[in-house]
Amino acid sequence: MSAEEPLFRVVRGVPTAEELAALVGAIIVRTRPAAAPVPAATSAWARSGRPGGSRGWRAAGLPR
């Protein structure tokens, strides 16, 4: 593809500047790679309510 060749063209209709901007924005969003979601950190408050620690849920009912 040469530098003079357009990336896309409108083959039917007469879009407004706003419609073309929306189309370009949609194309850009769809073509960029998706970022991996950042895992949410568990707060100390939430961790304090979980039984067992590293021994798992089976040991949660046993005396410590």
Side-chain angles (χ1 to χ4, degrees):
M1 181 166 45
S2 68
E4 299 297 322
E5 187 176 327
L7 296 175
F8 62 91
R9 63 187 175 106
V10 177
V11 294
R12 186 182 299 176
V14 182
T16 64
E18 292 84 10
E19 291 170 335
L20 283 176
L23 176 64
V24 170
I27 291 172
I28 289 173
V29 168
R30 292 284 295 171
T31 58
R32 68 178 173 190
V38 179
T42 306
S43 68
W45 180 82
R47 282 191 309 270
S48 69
R50 295 185 180 157
S54 63
R55 298 180 305 157
W57 64 270
R58 294 174 196 240
L62 300 175
R64 293 185 185 188

